[in-house]
Amino acid sequence: MLKGEKTRRKIIEKAALLFNKKGFDGISMQDVSEATGLEKGSLYTHFSSKEELAKEAMAYASMTSFISSIENLEKLTSPVEKLKLHIRNVLSKPNFPGGCPLTNIAIDADDGNTVMYAMAQESLKHWTSFLKQLIKEAQEMEEIQSSVNPEAFATLIISLLEGACLASRLQRSKKALTVAQQFLTAQIDGYVKE
């Protein structure tokens, strides 16, 4: 990796932590400069604007979080077991510092930030697509009933996981995470073909 690429990567990683913890409006390019130890002018050598940096930083945070959620899925052959492991991973692995990037991006987007809104939409679309594919594979392998709507079930899973993560943070308790995992596991088991 070239020096310029390493510097760009360092900026993205440090900025991702800042944006995810404090939101788009909560940080300035000066904050990123201080976190990276680089002059502001150097930041603008790599990124034309705060919006461009935010977009790449939050894409990095989202992808890092997603990679954690699919850890060890490749070791399983059953799509149903992959779905259950994905849910366990989301609820049990440490999230990206500052919380779930999708939730944080969506909160930023709610303030009318079009850059963050587009990022939130893209992250949600990617996750939904991933889950839909797993559910369809389970149906093709006759593990899940064909009557299950993959998009509706993916939406339910994401909604429950995101809500449980938020409730867990607010309550400073893992109770919501446990309840969500138990409910989704029971739901999946109820859809399994006998």
Side-chain angles (χ1 to χ4, degrees):
M1 188 181 291
L2 300 174
K3 184 179 178 191
E5 292 171 346
K6 285 182 182 177
T7 301
R8 184 177 175 83
R9 174 87 175 180
K10 174 184 173 182
I11 295 167
I12 290 170
E13 289 174 358
K14 297 283 186 182
L17 295 171
L18 292 172
F19 282 117
N20 201 49
K21 287 181 177 180
K22 297 182 178 182
F24 182 83
D25 292 329
I27 69 160
S28 66
M29 289 299 270
Q30 182 60 42
D31 294 325
V32 178
S33 173
E34 291 170 9
T36 60
L38 300 169
E39 297 293 324
K40 272 176 45 175
S42 182
L43 297 177
Y44 285 109
T45 300
H46 295 279
F47 302 95
S48 63
S49 66
K50 179 180 167 184
E51 288 79 9
E52 181 187 353
L53 174 57
K55 185 174 181 181
E56 292 201 35
M58 292 313 289
Y60 169 80
S62 293
M63 188 51 64
T64 301
S65 184
F66 182 73
I67 288 169
S68 175
S69 78
I70 61 170
E71 189 175 326
N72 294 320
L73 261 64
E74 76 283 353
K75 295 178 181 176
L76 303 172
T77 55
S78 164
V80 164
E81 292 307 314
K82 287 181 181 185
L83 198 55
K84 289 179 181 179
L85 179 57
H86 173 68
I87 291 165
R88 276 195 308 275
N89 284 346
V90 169
L91 297 175
S92 65
K93 293 189 173 292
N95 213 320
F96 197 83
C100 174
L102 177 58
T103 298
N104 292 340
I105 295 168
I107 290 168
D108 260 355
D110 193 41
D111 293 332
N113 185 316
T114 57
V115 172
M116 292 293 105
Y117 185 77
M119 281 296 309
Q121 283 185 314
E122 190 59 35
S123 292
L124 181 60
K125 181 179 173 184
H126 182 262
W127 193 6
T128 302
S129 178
F130 166 77
L131 289 173
K132 279 172 48 180
Q133 185 59 38
L134 267 183
I135 295 163
K136 287 178 183 176
E137 286 175 23
Q139 289 174 323
E140 289 167 9
M141 292 180 73
E142 298 187 350
E143 290 184 343
I144 287 183
Q145 300 165 12
S146 60
S147 61
V148 173
N149 179 316
E151 183 158 7
F153 193 36
T155 300
L156 174 69
I157 291 169
I158 292 169
S159 299
L160 193 53
L161 293 177
E162 285 296 305
C165 288
L166 181 60
S168 175
R169 268 177 76 183
L170 291 172
Q171 297 168 345
R172 297 181 187 199
S173 164
K174 294 191 179 225
K175 183 179 177 184
L177 303 177
T178 303
V179 170
Q181 184 174 348
Q182 289 170 344
F183 176 83
L184 288 172
T185 299
Q187 193 75 28
I188 292 167
D189 289 343
Y191 290 151
V192 171
K193 288 183 109 174
E194 294 185 21

